[in-house]
């Protein structure tokens, strides 16, 4: 059993602060080929998560610490919907349907629990929205 506690969240958050990408994952799944991916994603302000989509995969974000903005877009890159998830505001997460363009903007140091179908596949050119 893996315990999700302050010690683990602080460890992953510290690793994100020291990462050139300003984010760090802590995987609960054993392999990138697993059918279900569950992981902590620690984010620091300034990290870049471009508008992207997963053509065949739903994705769920649950906030454990901090504050992030999650937005969805049309094919032209125009915002369709946007919300800030944070415990302070009682907005705890979002579920993004497959093939939905979306982005995450880190507003303060944050840790998310993310779940999505595996296996992991590097984004192909069509996975990132080019504006």
């Amino acid at each position: 059993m893996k315990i999700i506690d302050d010690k683990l969240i602080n460890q992953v958050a510290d690793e994100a602060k020291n990462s050139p990408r300003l984010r760090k994952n802590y995987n609960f799944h054993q392999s990138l080929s697993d059918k279900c991916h569950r992981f902590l994603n620690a984010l620091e302000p300034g990290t870049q998560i471009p508008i992207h989509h997963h053509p065949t995969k739903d994705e769920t974000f649950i906030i454990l610490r901090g504050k992030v903005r999650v937005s969805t877009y049309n094919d032209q890159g125009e915002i369709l919907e946007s919300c800030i998830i944070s415990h302070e505001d009682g907005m705890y997460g979002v579920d993004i349907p497959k093939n939905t363009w979306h982005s995450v903007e880190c507003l303060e140091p944050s840790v998310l629990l993310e779940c999505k179908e595996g296996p992991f596949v590097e984004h192909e050119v069509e996975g990132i929205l080019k504006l």
Side-chain angles (χ1 to χ4, degrees):
M1 178 167 57
K2 294 182 181 178
I3 306 294
I4 302 169
D5 59 7
D6 281 337
K7 181 179 177 184
L8 177 60
I9 289 174
N10 290 337
Q11 172 194 326
V12 180
D14 286 344
E15 290 175 16
K17 287 177 193 170
N18 296 313
S19 167
R21 295 177 63 210
L22 297 175
R23 59 184 153 137
K24 182 68 176 179
N25 287 359
Y26 178 91
N27 295 340
F28 296 109
H29 51 282
Q30 298 299 307
S31 165
L32 293 179
S33 63
D34 284 358
K35 291 182 180 182
C36 181
H37 286 201
R38 297 125 23 243
F39 56 98
L40 299 179
N41 191 351
L43 310 163
E44 286 290 310
T47 190
Q48 297 295 316
I49 302 176
I51 300 171
H52 67 286
H53 68 158
H54 307 284
T56 61
K57 301 175 184 185
D58 298 332
E59 186 169 25
T60 301
F61 302 115
I62 304 294
I63 194 86
L64 299 178
R65 176 185 290 173
K67 187 179 288 193
V68 300
R69 180 187 319 277
V70 181
S71 301
T72 61
Y73 303 83
N74 63 20
D75 290 340
Q76 292 72 44
E78 300 164 330
I79 293 177
L80 296 174
E81 196 170 10
S82 186
C83 71
I84 294 174
I85 58 175
S86 79
H87 281 271
E88 274 179 22
D89 302 325
M91 183 76 76
Y92 303 107
V94 296
D95 186 67
I96 306 291
K98 65 183 171 191
N99 207 32
T100 300
W101 294 107
H102 63 282
S103 68
V104 177
E105 176 188 1
C106 180
L107 302 174
E108 61 185 47
S110 300
V111 179
L112 299 169
L113 174 66
E114 289 191 35
C115 298
K116 62 184 162 191
E117 181 183 345
F120 175 76
V121 178
E122 286 284 345
H123 282 296
E124 297 175 350
V125 173
E126 65 270 10
I128 305 290
L129 187 59
K130 303 291 183 194
L131 298 176

